[in-house]
């Protein structure tokens, strides 16, 4: 993957200028959908970049904006201004956000007045640049916007690039994202120009997307899937983003899909389940395929989706640390049941034994490790995490368990953090949850209703606690699990009834909060 030897800003300018008159995005976050062409997007981003460069000397700038016109322009402007966007998760909780901002040394925030009033608990700084207000002023001063538009169209690429950006090294930091913190405090993932451009080139090599495909872009910008796959990749590959401020707003997303004839749907199984509950079949008839990632697809969900919506359900796999895409299933020619697809070009994979960390033969389940141009170089100022996450040969040790078969298909079996070691045996939480759900809710459920947590135990190392949203008789459950052939060690010895199972904004289980509840 050596297709890109330039920095991210230069490649974005090149793509936007080449497709100057093509539609860039349609933002459904306004009372009336707002349409923006790539040339206007380029002009506005260059104009904001020039202003931001004079406004502050800070390297990293926080962004608190949803996907759409303002969020896209803010991120482009920062990249063009030779600064590093840090998209912050408004739902992460004040302590987690403050920790992230301190680690990144973020002072200035790009946001909008509507958001500061909508999220009063967010730790807003004294320095807030209102991107919404800036855009409204530009719209009123049409002559300035026309000037920028003409400059962006007529000016040679080389000259625009020199005006907009410095000659950054492709291995320098381009973007900083924070992990969701599902099992602890968030870590800063430093992604370079090479990482992001390589991953976009890897995705393009699958030929999964076609030019001017209409992609629903409603995943948050602080999510690596939302930043790279539904924002950065469309800008570099001439796709059209149909944006909605939040994936939780299913009603608005369905309206956008139906009205704009969206062809590609991206999301997590948790978010996608909302469409099955709310959609009418005709609303999804334009969808050619859905790409699901960020969490494992529950058993039976793929078949449920494809029977409701006449399109392919393609599961993929990725991590924030890998920019994020690692593998995709492809329609017709490149899919395998229960897998997350073949590895993308240029990515190497190996698995390690849980106990010894010895490399395992192909096909055996172990800790997955990856190496490639899209794999990040390390966490921000976190030597302990870096030492734990990398071996001496540049392999990133993920903490996910899986295997690679002889045809190059990747299978994910879970996370180390979602296993407990009891009596010397590794017990998968997901399997216990799956069997328990089938017993307690034989007619099926629309959302997660139980979760298993492992707590320390002086006798056997760990003990399992089952959290559920419905009360039940533990002994009766135990007997039914035994009848299904579940080993005695796998059966939870304690239960706790909760109002709901906690999730992060990314759609993943909030493992840290689950453990807190179990301990309480």
């Amino acid at each position: 993957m050596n297709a890109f030897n330039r920095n991210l800003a230069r490649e974005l300018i090149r793509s936007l200028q080449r497709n100057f008159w093509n539609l860039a995005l349609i933002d459904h976050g306004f009372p009336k959908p707002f349409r923006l062409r790539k040339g206007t997007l380029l002009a506005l981003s260059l104009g904001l970049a020039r202003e931001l460069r004079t406004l502050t000397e800070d390297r990293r700038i926080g962004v608190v904006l949803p996907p759409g016109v303002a969020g896209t322009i803010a991120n482009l402007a920062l990249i063009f201004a030779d600064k590093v966007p840090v998209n912050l998760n408004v739902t992460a909780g004040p302590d987690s956000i403050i920790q992230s901002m301190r680690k990144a040394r973020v002072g200035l925030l790009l946001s909008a007045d509507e958001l500061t009033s909508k999220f009063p608990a967010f730790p807003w700084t004294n320095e807030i640049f209102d991107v919404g207000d800036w855009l409204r002023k530009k719209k009123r001063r049409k002559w300035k916007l026309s000037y920028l538009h003409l400059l962006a169209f007529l000016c040679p690429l080389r000259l625009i690039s020199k005006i907009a950006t410095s000659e950054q090294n492709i291995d320098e930091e381009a973007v900083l994202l924070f992990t969701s913190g599902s099992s602890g405090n968030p870590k800063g993932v430093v992604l370079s120009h090479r990482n992001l451009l390589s991953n976009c080139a890897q995705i393009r090599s699958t030929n999964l997307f076609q030019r001017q495909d209409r992609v629903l872009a409603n995943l948050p910008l602080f999510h690596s899937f939302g930043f790279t796959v539904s924002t950065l990749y469309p800008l570099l590959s001439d796709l059209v983003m149909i944006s909605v401020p939040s994936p939780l707003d299913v009603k608005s997303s369905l309206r956008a899909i139906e009205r704009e004839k969206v062809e590609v749907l991206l999301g997590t199984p948790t978010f996608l389940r909302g469409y099955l509950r709310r959609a009418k079949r005709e609303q999804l008839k334009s969808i050619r395929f859905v790409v699901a990632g960020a969490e494992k697809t529950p058993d039976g969900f793929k078949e449920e989706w494809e029977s409701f919506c006449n399109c392919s359900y393609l599961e993929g796999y990725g991590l924030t640390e890998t920019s994020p895409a690692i593998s995709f299933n492809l329609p017709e020619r490149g899919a395998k049941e229960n897998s997350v697809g073949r590895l993308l070009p240029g990515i190497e994979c190996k698995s390690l034994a849980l106990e010894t960390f010895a490399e395992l033969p192909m096909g055996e389940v172990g800790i997955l490790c990856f190496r490639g141009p899209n794999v990040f170089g390390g966490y921000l100022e976190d030597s302990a995490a870096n030492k734990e996450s990398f071996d001496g040969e540049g392999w990133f040790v993920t903490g996910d368990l899986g295997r690679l078969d002889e045809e190059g298909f990747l299978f994910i079996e879970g996370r180390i953090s979602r296993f407990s070691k009891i009596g010397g045996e590794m017990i998968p939480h997901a399997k216990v949850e799956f069997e328990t759900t089938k017993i307690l809710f034989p007619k099926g459920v629309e959302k997660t209703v139980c979760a298993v947590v492992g707590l320390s135990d002086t006798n056997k190392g760990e003990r399992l606690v089952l959290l559920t949203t419905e009360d039940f008789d533990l002994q009766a459950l135990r007997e039914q699990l035994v009848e299904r052939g579940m080993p005695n060690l796998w059966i939870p010895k304690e239960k706790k009834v909760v109002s709901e199972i906690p999730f992060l904004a990314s759609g993943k289980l909030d493992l840290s909060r689950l453990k807190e509840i179990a301990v309480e």
Side-chain angles (χ1 to χ4, degrees), residues 276 281 284 290 300-313:
L276 295 183
R281 289 178 185 271
L284 300 174
V290 56
F301 184 72
K302 176 180 183 292
E303 292 73 20
E304 184 182 1
W305 179 274
E306 291 183 341
S307 68
F308 181 80
C309 179
N310 187 28
C311 71
S312 298
Y313 180 97

Side-chain angles (χ1 to χ4, degrees), residues 77-108:
L78 289 171
I79 293 168
F80 292 164
D82 193 17
K83 297 185 183 296
V84 176
V86 184
N87 289 280
L88 296 166
N89 181 355
V90 293
T91 66
D95 291 343
S96 178
I97 298 168
I98 290 170
Q99 190 178 93
S100 299
M101 290 170 66
R102 283 177 179 168
K103 183 170 279 192
R105 298 185 182 90
V106 164
L108 176 65

Side-chain angles (χ1 to χ4, degrees), residues 453 455 496 510-520:
V453 177
L455 298 181
K496 185 161 188 175
D510 189 340
L511 303 182
S512 181
R513 180 59 187 145
L514 279 171
K515 183 158 284 191
E516 287 177 8
I517 294 171
V519 169
E520 289 168 3

Side-chain angles (χ1 to χ4, degrees), residues 374-387:
N374 58 310
V375 178
F376 81 137
Y379 297 107
L380 178 66
E381 297 179 2
D382 199 334
S383 56
N386 289 332
K387 186 176 181 179

